Amino acid sequence: MKLREKFDNLMENDFHIAEKRKLIFIIPLVILVIAAIMMIVFRFTVGSAFNLGTDFTGGYSVDVTLGNKLSNSNKQAYFDQIEEVFAAVTAENGKTYKVEISGAMQMQGTGSEKASIHVKYSQVRGVSENEMSKYVNPAIVSALEEKVLNKVPNIKINGRTITATYDEVINNDGENSPFASIRDAFIKSLPEINKKGKTEITVAESAFTINPENRKQIIIESSTDFKNSAALRSAIVSAMNLPDKFSGSVTGGDMVGATVSTELLFTAIIAVALALMFMLSYIGLRFQISSGLACIIALFHDILIMFAFMAICHIEINSTFIAALITILGYSINNSIIIFDRVRENMRSLNAKSMTPEAIANKSVKDTLLRSINTTITTLIMIAMVAIIGVSDIRIFAFPIIIGLLSGTYSSICIAPSLWALFQRVGRKNRANFNLPPVDKKRKQKQKTSKPSEIGA
């Protein structure tokens, strides 16, 4: 109860928000300055001020078709394998490239024979388009086929013994059995394994056996000592991959154009511009032109703050961000209209003539503050839960939504009423400078509607 009483007492206070307009305007300016500094830093260190996705810049795409093997329960395991492949791609020219995946991987056609994972990736910085198409893209396709489609063993080395553990039982039924294929591939790749591992392993065919206690394991006994290393284990894994003709296929590595930057981006700008115009017209007719201008400026604040945090955190900007941006514009304008509806009611009150614009703005904010806070908190809880337990696509959408909710609440409570009070004060000063009487809208309306009485005429 004490906590509730303290909260109620806090709500009874007058925060004098409109009078603190300088501080209110400085806070977003500081954020924008920090964003500008970070953009300059990223421009010279990473090469781009904003982390634009392939929707804006173009790039490459690849499809890993897995068929009925792909499901909601195992998709994250495949995502992790694909990320590992892109993190270290070794091409035929001997170079290792760190390829960045753009946005979230998309699972398409779950539960069907054509089920696949669609991956977009950007051009590697400092690498020409010719080098990408000649070396990097083929290496990506080859690595995905080797690591994702094949059955990859877990390698452990103990002295001269190499143990390879698979996810399923290894059969040894004749010359074309999986066991024979693995054994032949290992012996054939032995020179390359010794070269990469910088050691000397000597193995005969008879040294290959299936563990009788665990038929998922193949045990290899070397006749010579060798040095254990990560490079050696990686080379053994590559040699002992078990081909799986039912795994699927990898297609792609082709250039994809920038769609958002041309068509969708232009359409989004036109849509937002028209929406702002209609909002300004509606609010101007419903309330005042000064209220409409204050709301539109507050919406621009929300847009800039969302872009600022995306720049500061260097989070990828793609078509999902545009959707989040438009969502926040609708949410923020709703909060502002609620406040200005209360402003209109307070201006019609009996005490309005004795109140300053700042006092009217403060009272209106105070009357709607609890409602605005409750709405924001409940929405934030929902978005936070989605960001925590949701899939990667939803998480990318959730972060700008969270930033937009906070900035939209700030602009609706602080910026828009403060701007309205400022516009009202400037308007009054202009009328005083031109010796114009103050406008009494109620009196003017009564003069228009009043007519001479016709009773007894």
Side-chain angles (χ1 to χ4, degrees):
M1 293 296 294
K2 292 183 178 180
L3 182 62
R4 179 61 184 271
E5 291 177 1
K6 290 182 179 180
F7 184 78
D8 291 339
N9 293 334
L10 180 64
M11 291 294 102
E12 292 297 327
N13 293 332
D14 191 349
F15 300 103
H16 300 286
I17 290 176
E19 288 88 351
K20 300 175 182 178
R21 63 173 67 98
K22 291 183 179 180
L23 176 62
I24 289 172
F25 298 156
I26 287 175
I27 293 175
L29 286 176
V30 170
I31 296 175
L32 293 177
V33 169
I34 295 174
I37 294 173
M38 294 303 299
M39 289 169 63
I40 295 173
V41 172
F42 285 126
R43 177 65 181 85
F44 287 99
T45 57
V46 182
S48 176
F50 285 104
N51 184 9
L52 299 177
T54 55
D55 290 335
F56 288 92
T57 62
Y60 301 86
S61 67
V62 66
D63 290 295
V64 182
T65 304
L66 297 165
N68 294 323
K69 293 182 62 176
L70 181 62
S71 64
N72 288 320
S73 60
N74 63 10
K75 68 176 182 178
Q76 191 57 50
Y78 282 114
F79 286 172
D80 295 339
Q81 288 180 338
I82 292 173
E83 287 181 355
E84 291 178 4
V85 169
F86 276 86
V89 177
T90 302
E92 291 183 359
N93 58 3
K95 294 183 181 180
T96 299
Y97 301 90
K98 184 178 181 181
V99 185
E100 294 184 359
I101 298 176
S102 299
M105 288 176 274
Q106 298 176 351
M107 187 172 62
Q108 301 174 338
T110 310
S112 67
E113 294 181 357
K114 297 182 179 180
S116 64
I117 298 175
H118 183 69
V119 188
K120 292 181 180 179
Y121 58 97
S122 305
Q123 184 170 332
V124 180
R125 185 186 178 193
V127 175
S128 65
E129 186 175 333
N130 180 56
E131 187 175 351
M132 286 291 296
S133 60
K134 187 176 180 180
Y135 295 107
V136 181
N137 293 338
I140 290 174
V141 173
S142 177
L144 288 173
E145 290 175 343
E146 178 182 344
K147 300 293 185 181
V148 179
L149 300 186
N150 292 343
K151 299 172 183 176
V152 180
N154 179 29
I155 301 297
K156 290 185 178 180
I157 298 176
N158 184 14
R160 296 183 180 183
T161 304
I162 302 171
T163 303
T165 305
Y166 292 85
D167 294 332
E168 60 186 50
V169 173
I170 306 300
N171 295 321
N172 185 15
D173 302 325
E175 295 181 357
N176 296 324
S177 66
F179 174 77
S181 299
I182 295 171
R183 179 195 62 202
D184 296 342
F186 183 91
I187 294 175
K188 183 179 179 181
S189 304
L190 195 54
E192 186 68 20
I193 292 173
N194 288 327
K195 181 180 178 181
K196 291 182 177 179
K198 297 180 180 180
T199 186
E200 287 294 334
I201 299 176
T202 305
V203 176
E205 288 189 9
S206 58
F208 281 77
T209 58
I210 295 178
N211 187 353
E213 297 179 358
N214 183 1
R215 295 189 61 82
K216 295 181 180 181
Q217 291 182 343
I218 295 179
I219 299 175
I220 308 170
E221 295 288 346
S222 173
S223 59
T224 57
D225 295 327
F226 58 89
K227 185 179 179 181
N228 186 6
S229 67
L232 175 62
R233 291 193 300 272
S234 176
I236 294 174
V237 167
S238 299
M240 298 187 70
N241 278 336
L242 182 60
D244 185 4
K245 62 181 179 180
F246 300 107
S247 288
S249 61
V250 179
T251 57
D254 301 324
M255 185 74 179
V256 293
T259 56
V260 173
S261 60
T262 53
E263 299 176 5
L264 183 58
L265 181 60
F266 178 76
T267 305
I269 292 174
I270 294 298
V272 171
L274 290 174
L276 293 178
M277 289 176 58
F278 284 120
M279 287 179 188
L280 179 60
S281 302
Y282 169 77
I283 298 172
L285 292 173
R286 182 69 175 168
F287 304 107
Q288 294 176 316
I289 293 296
S290 58
S291 301
L293 289 175
C295 287
I296 298 304
I297 294 174
L299 290 180
F300 275 113
H301 161 272
D302 300 337
I303 294 173
L304 291 176
I305 293 300
M306 290 179 70
F307 271 104
F309 272 92
M310 297 297 281
I312 292 172
C313 301
H314 208 61
I315 297 175
E316 183 177 296
I317 297 177
N318 50 29
S319 55
T320 305
F321 174 74
I322 294 179
L325 189 66
I326 295 175
T327 302
I328 290 302
L329 291 181
Y331 182 91
S332 180
I333 195 67
N334 178 64
N335 275 347
S336 299
I337 288 177
I338 295 297
I339 293 176
F340 281 113
D341 184 65
R342 189 54 59 92
V343 168
R344 182 182 60 179
E345 292 180 5
N346 290 331
M347 289 183 67
R348 292 175 177 176
S349 65
L350 297 175
N351 299 326
K353 292 183 179 180
S354 61
M355 297 174 65
T356 63
E358 288 79 7
I360 295 175
N362 291 334
K363 188 176 187 310
S364 302
V365 171
K366 182 179 177 180
D367 293 341
T368 58
L369 182 61
L370 189 59
R371 181 257 180 205
S372 299
I373 292 176
N374 288 337
T375 304
T376 301
I377 290 176
T378 52
T379 309
L380 275 176
I381 291 173
M382 179 63 69
I383 297 298
M385 291 299 101
V386 170
I388 293 171
I389 66 176
V391 297
S392 54
D393 288 340
I394 299 299
R395 290 174 185 170
I396 293 175
F397 177 75
F399 178 78
I401 286 288
I402 292 173
I403 298 301
L405 282 174
L406 296 175
S407 65
T409 303
Y410 178 81
S411 64
S412 297
I413 294 176
C414 300
I415 293 181
S418 300
L419 285 173
W420 175 85
L422 180 61
F423 293 154
Q424 293 293 314
R425 184 164 293 281
V426 171
R428 290 185 182 184
K429 286 184 178 180
N430 289 337
R431 296 187 66 83
N433 291 336
F434 287 99
N435 296 320
L436 295 175
V439 178
D440 189 344
K441 292 186 177 181
K442 289 185 177 180
R443 189 173 183 181
K444 190 175 181 180
Q445 186 69 21
K446 289 181 179 179
Q447 291 176 353
K448 287 183 178 181
T449 57
S450 63
K451 295 181 179 180
S453 175
E454 296 180 359
I455 299 176

